Amino acid sequence: MRAAVFTAGHADSGSFLQIEEVARPEPQAGQVLLRVLACGVCRTDLHIVEGDLPPLHPKLIPGHQIVGEVVGGATADLPLGTRVGVSWIGGVDGSCWYCRHDMENLCDQPAFTGYTVNGGYAEYAVARADFAFPLPLGLDNTDVAPLLCAGIIGFRSLRVAGVAHGERVGLFGFGSSAGLAITILQSWGCEVYVVTRGENHRRRAEALGATWVGNEEATPPVPLDRAITFAPSGKVVVSALASLRKGGVVAINAIHLDQMPAFDYDKLLWGERQIRSVANMTRQDARDFLALAHELKLHPQTALFPLDQANQALLAVKHETEEGSAVIVP
């Protein structure tokens, strides 16, 4: 099969990946073989190929927002031809303290799709059957792909922040994940305040009905109940914290963050304000979000790239040059 392959130590930012002919994977016990229909491109993929996350294998096929058709290893729950989604969490050990206490997103021995195991920048991929989610009808392959990480982790961020219906919520950064979260927040009757540096992102937030939109130097005009940061920047976290009311919560939606600057505890954190990190997701998060996405008829704006243009897709994410979420179609 053809695949876009990352080689550890490769540092050319214009060509992170090489298109290669590799052996088609064979499903092992408990796995299904998928013909990849689409694979979303995530900023975490960029962190992997740029070395922000340390390489774990000499060669790797990235991609963890996989929409695929079961073509091997079928089960009673996933017969041949079933369309499924696969996300960042590709497996857990099921036996560690966290798994036994309903916190599988914090598992001590997790498998990460497209990082610890090969992912979906390819014509075929394998996945654990119990981490492959049957997808609802009514959502196109390329619509579903960005939902499988950006959507699910954005939804979990709202949960971690403790968002309640009708609250004032700030979104700091407005990429793919925030663009999906705003629709959920609006369905909950929330006021949404967006702070983002990109002019295209500000226009998009306005078009999606944000209550207020400002650039990275702006401060929301009212105290916020909750805030979620989507940019991998400690400075943004401090800005979000400065916008909270007493007792408010900032949830950091980032797997990698640059250095957190010093900040004034008395002014910014005192008053029982909280900073929480968002780590991965659970299978229940995925099921709940996909059901909600179907109910809300989420159709994210996407920019499609053939497999041969996987590098261009990553650069589009890096430089925020596309209006919608980048999706690779093999």
Side-chain angles (χ1 to χ4, degrees), residues 118-140:
N118 282 328
Y121 289 11
E123 294 175 320
Y124 292 86
V126 292
R128 269 181 52 168
D130 53 344
F131 281 80
F133 308 103
L135 295 173
L137 299 175
L139 293 174
D140 293 340

Side-chain angles (χ1 to χ4, degrees), residues 167-171 174 182 185-186 189-194 205-214 220-222 224:
E167 289 192 320
R168 293 169 170 170
V169 181
L171 305 179
F174 202 76
I182 192 172
L185 290 167
Q186 289 167 335
C190 294
E191 296 178 9
V192 183
Y193 297 80
V194 174
E206 289 170 349
L208 290 173
T211 307
W212 173 91
V213 179
V222 296
L224 303 176

Side-chain angles (χ1 to χ4, degrees), residues 34-197:
L34 306 177
R35 180 172 68 87
V36 177
L37 305 174
C39 187
V41 180
C42 178
R43 187 163 290 275
T44 300
D45 301 336
L46 196 61
H47 289 319
I48 291 169
V49 300
E50 290 194 319
D52 296 323
L53 298 177
L56 302 178
H57 303 287
K59 286 182 173 286
L60 174 74
I61 300 171
H64 60 270
Q65 299 183 98
I66 304 171
V67 180
E69 176 189 0
V70 176
V71 295
T75 68
D77 293 329
L78 299 176
L80 291 175
T82 302
R83 191 178 66 142
V84 300
V86 177
S87 189
W88 172 243
I89 289 281
V92 295
D93 61 24
S95 60
C96 71
W97 187 92
Y98 297 100
C99 286
R100 290 185 284 106
H101 288 80
D102 297 322
M103 291 184 282
E104 67 179 15
N105 60 302
L106 302 178
C107 175
D108 284 331
Q109 299 292 329
F112 294 127
T113 310
Y115 185 43
T116 65
V117 296
N118 282 328
Y121 289 11
E123 294 175 320
Y124 292 86
V126 292
R128 269 181 52 168
D130 53 344
F131 281 80
F133 308 103
L135 295 173
L137 299 175
L139 293 174
D140 293 340
N141 298 331
T142 53
D143 284 345
V144 173
L147 304 184
L148 293 169
C149 181
I152 297 169
I153 201 68
F155 176 67
R156 181 170 180 84
S157 297
L158 303 182
R159 285 184 158 173
V160 169
V163 174
H165 287 222
E167 289 192 320
R168 293 169 170 170
V169 181
L171 305 179
F172 288 73
F174 202 76
S176 179
S177 192
L180 294 166
I182 192 172
T183 303
I184 299 171
L185 290 167
Q186 289 167 335
S187 75
W188 292 349
C190 294
E191 296 178 9
V192 183
Y193 297 80
V194 174
V195 177
T196 187
R197 68 179 182 180

Side-chain angles (χ1 to χ4, degrees), residues 222-270:
V222 296
L224 303 176
D225 300 299
R226 319 284 167 182
I228 296 94
T229 67
F230 296 90
S233 164
K235 180 181 177 181
V236 171
V237 175
V238 175
S239 296
L241 191 60
S243 301
L244 288 183
R245 63 159 170 82
K246 288 182 286 188
V249 179
V250 173
I252 304 171
N253 180 347
I255 193 171
H256 165 76
L257 198 68
D258 65 12
Q259 185 173 3
M260 180 77 79
F263 61 86
D264 189 322
Y265 168 84
D266 295 339
K267 291 181 178 179
L268 297 184
L269 195 57
W270 187 83

